[in-house]
Amino acid sequence: MNPLPLYVAIPLGAAFLIPLLGLWWKKSGETLASLFTLILAIMAVLQVSRPAAVYHMGGWAPPVGIALVSDGLSTLLLIAINVVGFLCIIFSIKYMQRYTGLNKYYSLFMLMVAGMNGVVVSGDLFNLYVFLEVASIASYALVAFGVGAEELEAGFKYLILGSVASVMLLFGIGTVYAVTGTLNMADVAREIAMRFGGEMNPALLLAGAFFLMGFGLKAALVPFHAWLPDAHPSAPAPISAMLSGVVIKSLGIYAICRVFFNVYGIAAGGAGAVIFANAMIAFALLSIIVGGILAIGQWDYKRLLAYSSIGQIGYVMLGIGVGARVLATGGQLSIAGLAILGGLFHMFNHVAFKSLLFLSSGAIQHATGTRDMKQLGGLREKMPVTAFTTNMAALSIAGVPPFSGFWSKLVILVATIKAGHTAVAVVAIVFAFVTLVYCIKVQREILYGTVSKLVEKAREVPALMYVPLILLAIACVGFGLLYPVVGVYILEPARDALMNGAEYIQLVLG
Amino acid sequence: MKGMTLIVKTITDFVVGFIIVFGAYIVLYGHLTPGGGFAGGVIIACAFILAMLAHGKDVAFSKLPEMVAHIIDSGGALMFLLIGWFGVTVGFFFMNTFGRGEPFRLLSSGMILPLNIAIAFKVSSSLFLVFSALAIFRRRSFRAMIEDELA
């Protein structure tokens, strides 16, 4: 049986089962959530061995019916979402004990996972929008879960900006529907390719701008990033890890890739495609610069990580944007492939190291009660496991050679230079050093140095909290060293799915 | 005396039953006439909200305890998912597994009727719970919030 509907049905069922059983069974949340996310994580990893597949809802073939599609790109995101989701749930069991209403937390968490899985497997623009809303609304509530003044403010800000993004997306989808008369992504792609060839008409350009703004806001690209530096620090640590690790990627980057590469067919070239590719590169550069500079000045550990996420998303977008530009201008396919591969590889690495950093910030807050870097220091002596794993992630994000972050940034930079954007590459290299600067700041202020008063009393967190940290730290090293495995089985199918827009049409419409 | 005046209470007692019956009609005939699970569910919830407004929350909760509302709330959603799941076991996610019946008959149109009922459960209890949450939680004064922040 095709497992695609299960990725939505299992977490959705869990989301409603948890509050129901929670009326009698207090621990229903953590038990069911860890059980179901474990099942989902195993399913997602096994998805690698399956060929690309389409599931027809209700037996109605697209373009009439609704289709669920899994190709290389979907598989990449499914693995990231479900594995990180499982690790965050394991981390939550001990971490979330200080909060009340835990069954609601786990219920919302599962709803968010259902929404993200839905976005990733949906083969239909409107369903993509619906699932995006499911995931977003659950995440608005989760950001405000602490119900303090700061959390509520961040949640409200995120809600308003997220709603603006949703309206833009809905308007874009409506425009695409008006132009092409269909919502199935493969069918839209076929219509656009047949009717317009390379040249897009103004309505499609407008819709594309709305998509770039709407999904760009979900991905927190500068200048649409204003919600992120408030939302990520205010959320509980496992939720920050989910938001930064997978939400901004599945709702933002994945959707941008899918819409522009597979639906708009950026590879067909033309003036419109070049405009979008240039816009992607411009947003990416802005994100790299703004995220990097603002991260250095932060003294709140989680806020620093939040700005760092903006900067790293910029690198991901840079790889994808350069790939799109090379494809749109009819450059060499190998360079475009390298750039897209670099972007996807950095995205995959960012899932591991940024989730790890946010979870470690939770562990540090759990043990010392603060995340103010001025009050921390010398953590290495009191919390060796947390400090060691944090160190690995910091080195990885900074791009120190044996770790995964180095290889992905290297691939992006090499591809950017090969594509002829030397100036862009120079800026990216300079800001790679800025990344190193704030990672050294994290090491200096938190991990090494004199033991501060708060750290004096700290003890290592319980095993349920540090085991996810260790697993993610192994991933940080493993993705770099085991590239032949990760690359061939996970990343290259994803790259091929983006490069060959026409294959997607073939796959869905048969 | 809790709640509103005697006039409002008496009228409420008269109409609540009719409102629920009307809501149930909207739900059960949703597949044949205008209406459906959501609209009917809202109308049923309105009956309980009216009772809460007129008599106060204690009377409303004695008619529909919070615990029961929570069970119906989650149960309705699960029921919807299970009906969809029947489809998977025979091959497709929402294949029409029940008999399709004939037009102008109540028990026809396959899965739409049970789905409407599931939606009505979910919507009516959720709206009631939302309203009761608004009725139960008092707004904290701004001063108390500031004091909490300083503490």
Side-chain angles (χ1 to χ4, degrees):
Chain A
M1 196 183 86
N2 195 325
L4 284 180
L6 287 173
Y7 286 111
V8 182
I10 289 179
L12 204 58
F16 294 119
L17 207 57
I18 286 168
L20 185 63
L21 294 181
L23 292 172
W24 299 279
W25 178 27
K26 273 210 150 160
K27 295 208 177 278
S28 73
E30 55 196 60
T31 319
L32 291 179
S34 39
L35 179 70
F36 283 120
T37 45
L38 177 64
I39 295 172
L40 284 170
I42 293 171
M43 272 169 58
V45 173
L46 293 181
Q47 186 80 21
V48 172
S49 62
R50 291 170 174 274
V54 182
Y55 181 86
H56 297 164
M57 294 286 257
W60 296 87
V64 179
I66 297 164
L68 299 181
V69 184
S70 75
D71 58 358
L73 188 62
S74 304
T75 308
L76 172 77
L77 266 296
L78 279 177
I79 293 172
I81 293 165
N82 294 303
V83 172
V84 172
F86 171 63
L87 294 176
C88 287
I89 287 280
I90 295 294
F91 187 87
S92 301
I93 294 172
K94 288 282 177 212
Y95 179 81
M96 292 301 290
Q97 275 173 351
R98 72 178 85 176
Y99 292 88
T100 53
L102 283 185
N103 287 330
K104 293 191 181 69
Y105 167 82
Y106 289 109
S107 177
L108 284 168
F109 192 107
M110 296 310 286
L111 212 54
M112 186 167 80
V113 171
M116 283 191 290
N117 280 344
V119 166
V120 171
V121 297
S122 169
D124 189 287
L125 274 177
F126 193 74
N127 276 301
L128 190 144
Y129 172 76
V130 169
F131 284 123
L132 182 130
E133 280 291 273
V134 170
S136 304
I137 289 171
S139 64
Y140 305 148
L142 283 168
V143 164
F145 195 76
V147 294
E150 190 192 329
E151 286 93 339
L152 289 174
E153 186 198 337
F156 190 68
K157 195 172 179 183
Y158 182 24
L159 167 74
I160 297 295
L161 287 172
S163 308
V164 171
S166 300
V167 171
M168 284 176 183
L169 292 175
L170 195 58
F171 195 81
I173 292 169
T175 312
V176 167
Y177 183 62
V179 174
T180 61
T182 174
L183 283 171
N184 185 285
M185 288 200 273
D187 203 33
V188 172
R190 192 175 60 178
E191 287 288 320
I192 290 176
M194 265 182 1
R195 274 206 247 160
F196 304 107
E199 292 306 317
M200 296 172 200
N201 76 355
L204 281 178
L205 285 177
L206 179 71
F210 276 119
F211 286 136
L212 203 55
M213 284 153 84
F215 293 133
L217 199 144
K218 299 284 179 194
L221 289 172
V222 177
F224 312 118
H225 67 290
W227 60 273
L228 187 141
D230 282 337
H232 286 204
S234 307
I239 297 305
S240 314
M242 283 299 277
L243 283 176
S244 200
V246 290
V247 172
I248 57 175
K249 301 188 182 77
S250 57
L251 305 189
I253 301 291
Y254 165 83
I256 288 177
C257 291
R258 186 61 95 201
V259 165
F260 285 103
F261 284 86
N262 292 128
V263 177
Y264 270 66
I266 222 163
V274 177
I275 292 173
F276 287 130
N278 285 343
M280 284 181 201
I281 296 176
F283 288 154
L285 268 185
L286 267 178
S287 305
I288 290 172
I289 294 169
V290 173
I293 290 176
L294 289 179
I296 295 178
Q298 302 303 321
W299 285 97
D300 179 340
Y301 182 32
K302 278 173 94 174
R303 218 175 165 80
L304 183 148
L305 295 178
Y307 278 112
S308 144
S309 281
I310 297 175
Q312 301 305 312
I313 281 294
Y315 280 97
V316 175
M317 207 62 233
L318 180 65
I320 288 161
V322 168
R325 198 186 143 84
V326 173
L327 283 177
T329 50
Q332 279 179 32
L333 281 183
S334 62
I335 296 175
L338 194 66
I340 293 170
L341 187 74
L344 293 175
F345 190 24
H346 197 62
M347 176 169 89
F348 202 55
N349 292 335
H350 190 251
V351 170
F353 52 64
K354 197 45 72 70
S355 324
L356 170 49
L357 282 170
F358 269 114
L359 288 183
S360 84
S361 80
I364 291 167
Q365 203 179 358
H366 185 83
T368 64
T370 185
R371 48 177 211 251
D372 182 0
M373 288 163 71
K374 285 177 182 159
Q375 296 181 36
L376 293 165
L379 213 65
R380 196 169 54 113
E381 290 162 33
K382 296 291 173 186
M383 299 168 68
V385 181
T386 309
F388 182 69
T389 49
T390 309
N391 215 347
M392 304 261 273
L395 291 173
S396 186
I397 199 170
V400 174
F403 295 96
S404 57
F406 169 73
W407 304 108
S408 50
K409 276 186 189 166
L410 185 71
V411 174
I412 293 173
L413 293 174
V414 167
T416 310
I417 292 171
K418 270 189 162 178
H421 305 296
T422 319
V424 173
V426 168
V427 174
I429 290 168
V430 169
F431 279 88
F433 284 106
V434 172
T435 315
L436 186 63
V437 170
Y438 62 71
C439 288
I440 288 173
K441 180 176 173 179
V442 166
Q443 289 180 331
R444 216 176 78 104
E445 300 291 334
I446 298 181
L447 306 179
Y448 298 93
T450 50
V451 179
S452 75
K453 214 188 292 171
L454 280 171
V455 177
E456 195 72 44
K457 286 174 285 183
R459 280 179 300 132
E460 184 57 84
V461 290
L464 272 178
M465 278 169 81
Y466 70 64
V467 167
L469 296 181
I470 293 174
L471 291 177
L472 285 168
I474 292 171
C476 281
V477 191
F479 291 161
L481 299 181
L482 294 176
Y483 179 77
V485 181
V486 178
V488 172
Y489 289 103
I490 300 176
L491 295 171
E492 282 174 12
R495 177 199 63 187
D496 296 341
L498 284 182
M499 297 275 290
N500 310 322
E503 251 174 39
Y504 182 76
I505 302 174
Q506 271 290 311
L507 172 70
V508 177
L509 297 178
Chain B
M1 193 169 73
K2 291 192 87 174
M4 295 189 183
T5 62
L6 190 64
I7 301 170
V8 178
K9 283 184 179 172
T10 313
I11 299 290
T12 303
D13 291 346
F14 274 122
V15 297
V16 158
F18 289 109
I19 295 176
I20 293 181
V21 169
F22 179 62
Y25 164 79
I26 296 282
V27 173
L28 294 176
Y29 278 84
H31 54 295
L32 301 175
T33 55
F38 191 93
V42 171
I43 292 169
I44 293 173
C46 283
F48 288 101
I49 290 171
L50 184 62
M52 184 180 276
L53 285 173
H55 290 281
K57 61 177 187 290
D58 296 333
V59 174
F61 278 137
S62 74
K63 302 288 179 205
L64 180 62
E66 210 184 338
M67 176 100 166
V68 176
H70 274 296
I71 295 173
I72 298 174
D73 180 31
S74 304
L78 279 176
M79 189 173 150
F80 196 92
L81 196 67
L82 274 178
I83 294 168
W85 207 241
F86 280 136
V88 169
T89 51
V90 293
F92 297 114
F93 196 62
F94 49 43
M95 196 175 168
N96 214 340
T97 36
F98 300 105
R100 288 188 196 168
E102 55 206 280
F104 304 110
R105 297 287 303 276
L106 179 60
L107 294 175
S108 58
S109 75
M111 289 164 71
I112 300 175
L113 180 62
L115 287 177
N116 267 338
I117 293 171
I119 287 288
F121 278 144
K122 170 81 190 158
V123 169
S124 56
S125 53
S126 307
L127 269 182
F128 177 71
L129 284 171
V130 167
F131 191 83
S132 64
L134 293 176
I136 288 167
F137 293 122
R138 286 276 159 74
R139 192 179 151 209
R140 294 182 62 206
S141 71
F142 185 64
R143 194 187 169 80
M145 278 172 71
I146 298 287
E147 279 165 359
D148 258 24
E149 280 292 302
L150 294 176

